Amino acid sequence: MELTFNHAFDHVKRSGIRRFTEVVKSVPGAVQLTIGEPDLDTPEAVRTAAKLALDAGDTHYPPNNGRPELLEAISKFEEGRNGLRYAPDEIILTIGATEALFISLFALLNPGDEVIIPTPAFSLYESIARLCRAVPVNLPTEDNRFQIDPAALAAAITPRTKALVLTSPNNPTGCVYTRETLDAIHAVLKDRPIFVICDEVYRQLVYTDDFTSFSAFADMRDRVIVVQSYSKPYAMTGWRLGYVMADRPVHDKLQVAHQYAVVSAPAFVQAACMEALKYDNSADTALFRRRRDYVYKRLTDMGLDVQKPEGAFYMFIRVKEFGMDSLTFCTRMVKEGKVGLTPGVYFGCEGYMRLSYCYSDADLKEGLDRIEAFLKTL
Ligand SMILES: Cc1ncc(COP(=O)(O)O)c(C=O)c1O
């Protein structure tokens, strides 16, 4: 008897970041700089709100899209903090940005549809697209300082193009799309039936005053989906909470996928979500900015080629000159140099490696000392 599975899974593997982190963990004494999760604790007020809700018996099914008072609070927060105008009935509380991305792509894609993914990119988009039997189309940005080249974007569009993913600030480059880039993308897309998924999970970890969201283009509101997460700005990765915002007709499709996939986010964490929106994360942003400056200086002092990130907590370091592919380079570095960074190939871009600087100052110093020592052996 032969058991068969959904063939959409044939070319989708577990995340390369996770797999390589397991390799790093298996090397005794290795410093790990692979995962994108703040080394901070969830703010105390947020934890307390969840505990109180649990003790008060807040354990029954909540409304599918989230409690009205929370959706109202998110709507106000987004308008006040980010200038985005989404009504409570255009927002869905999700199980992390991961679910938000999943339901967004799932709701849009028919088999054979193409999704343009500027690379290097977080690998989740490609995997979800493949699971939907759609076709991920890479749009390399490496030669354009990781900004999108409008001519290249226009050339990548075909009659089957259904969506473009914009991740700003970016994982793995930390790059923030400039106003000029966004204007140029807008000019290419404004008259086309193409959705834009704005993955802005690092929006509150920005080190420039110039951040603009593509969702600012009101004339494309019917085609824009904004994905947010509680994971990164509030050190809540393990809570698995995020939200998605979209124009009502799009929202109404997403909520169907959300309802059948998860019903709702858990009940007793929703009070904590309200509390998190009140948290001032400026000290945490300042901490990551200081770490960015330290790591950037150390890497450039080593003679490495890296672009200074303007957001998130990653650096994408060029290692092409060493004559090895990124997996070989990172595997040798963790085994011989005892420091683990993620190979660029897992972000669809060879010749680079990603360093996460959301680790402690001590780990960063030790990790960088080891990178420096390893490079001297080559
Ligand atoms: C760009 C990007 N989008 C989405 C996610 C998923 O975030 P969440 O923890 O909210 O599912 C991540 C996580 O690393 C990410 O880097």
Side-chain angles (χ1 to χ4, degrees):
M1 183 177 68
E2 191 192 344
L3 298 173
T4 60
F5 295 91
N6 181 343
H7 289 303
F9 285 70
D10 290 353
H11 303 290
V12 182
K13 294 203 192 106
R14 285 183 62 233
S15 143
I17 309 175
R18 293 279 171 166
R19 279 184 286 131
F20 196 75
T21 297
E22 280 158 26
V23 173
V24 175
K25 286 199 164 123
S26 73
V27 176
V31 173
Q32 178 196 316
L33 302 177
T34 51
I35 295 279
E37 98 166 308
D39 58 322
L40 311 168
D41 290 329
T42 301
E44 193 181 346
V46 177
R47 288 183 275 139
T48 303
K51 287 184 220 164
L52 289 175
L54 198 51
D55 287 344
D58 187 1
T59 55
H60 298 273
Y61 284 130
N64 291 127
N65 295 342
R67 291 244 154 76
E69 61 273 23
L70 173 59
L71 299 178
E72 184 75 41
I74 292 174
S75 172
K76 289 208 171 98
F77 170 85
E78 286 293 338
E79 181 163 9
R81 165 112 192 192
N82 299 328
L84 303 191
R85 302 183 75 152
Y86 285 96
D89 62 1
E90 294 177 315
I91 301 170
I92 302 170
L93 183 71
T94 56
I95 307 299
T98 301
E99 191 225 336
L101 288 163
F102 212 103
I103 58 173
S104 299
L105 288 164
F106 189 53
L108 303 182
L109 297 174
N110 287 307
D113 282 351
E114 294 171 2
V115 184
I116 300 180
I117 304 172
T119 51
F122 185 48
S123 63
L124 181 62
Y125 318 125
E126 176 183 336
S127 302
I128 299 173
R130 286 195 195 283
L131 291 176
C132 294
R133 292 171 191 264
V135 181
V137 176
N138 285 356
L139 178 67
T141 61
E142 184 191 336
D143 295 335
N144 200 35
R145 297 183 59 73
F146 301 124
Q147 297 286 326
I148 292 167
D149 171 9
L153 172 63
I157 293 173
T158 76
R160 305 235 50 169
T161 304
K162 181 55 90 58
L164 165 71
V165 180
L166 290 182
T167 312
S168 184
N170 189 270
N171 174 8
T173 63
C175 170
V176 166
Y177 291 136
T178 62
R179 178 75 211 203
E180 195 191 351
T181 296
L182 297 177
D183 280 343
I185 297 171
H186 175 251
V188 174
L189 295 185
K190 68 180 171 31
D191 298 320
R192 293 183 147 115
I194 296 175
F195 288 89
V196 179
I197 299 179
C198 301
D199 181 341
E200 297 184 356
V201 303
Y202 298 102
R203 179 165 191 169
Q204 279 155 259
L205 297 169
V206 167
Y207 319 117
T208 163
D209 295 333
D210 286 346
F211 184 88
T212 311
S213 169
F214 190 83
S215 60
F217 294 107
D219 61 331
M220 283 188 62
R221 195 179 199 277
D222 61 336
R223 281 156 283 166
V224 167
I225 298 175
V226 184
V227 169
Q228 264 302 352
S229 174
Y230 280 90
S231 291
K232 319 287 178 172
Y234 314 114
M236 290 176 69
T237 47
W239 293 66
R240 310 305 310 125
L241 292 162
Y243 50 94
V244 61
M245 298 177 280
D247 204 28
R248 258 310 280 280
V250 181
H251 165 279
D252 291 355
K253 295 284 182 208
L254 304 191
Q255 71 177 353
V256 175
H258 171 73
Q259 169 167 12
Y260 288 117
V262 301
V263 178
S264 70
F268 60 89
V269 294
Q270 300 200 17
C273 288
M274 299 267 288
E275 203 53 48
L277 298 177
K278 295 182 207 152
Y279 177 71
D280 174 6
N281 82 330
S282 49
D284 304 338
T285 308
L287 172 74
F288 290 125
R289 184 188 191 127
R290 182 174 59 68
R291 288 181 183 166
R292 173 200 65 166
D293 292 343
Y294 169 71
V295 173
Y296 179 73
K297 176 152 192 336
R298 289 286 314 264
L299 293 172
T300 48
D301 284 351
M302 289 176 214
L304 289 167
D305 182 357
V306 59
Q307 197 173 306
K308 195 169 191 177
E310 292 187 313
F313 29 54
Y314 308 107
M315 298 227 184
F316 207 51
I317 308 160
R318 191 177 151 110
V319 290
K320 273 192 187 152
E321 288 67 26
F322 297 99
M324 285 173 257
D325 63 55
S326 60
L327 180 57
T328 308
F329 187 93
C330 291
T331 307
R332 274 191 62 184
M333 194 165 75
V334 70
K335 294 206 166 138
E336 298 167 28
K338 305 268 190 247
V339 53
L341 273 69
T342 310
V345 66
Y346 296 139
F347 304 95
C349 187
E350 255 310 346
Y352 290 81
M353 58 182 180
R354 187 192 75 172
L355 181 153
S356 295
Y357 56 87
C358 46
Y359 287 88
S360 72
D361 292 356
D363 277 356
L364 289 174
K365 178 174 181 317
E366 184 59 31
L368 287 157
D369 287 349
R370 292 185 189 191
I371 294 173
E372 192 166 4
F374 173 70
L375 293 180
K376 288 188 181 140
T377 67
L378 297 178

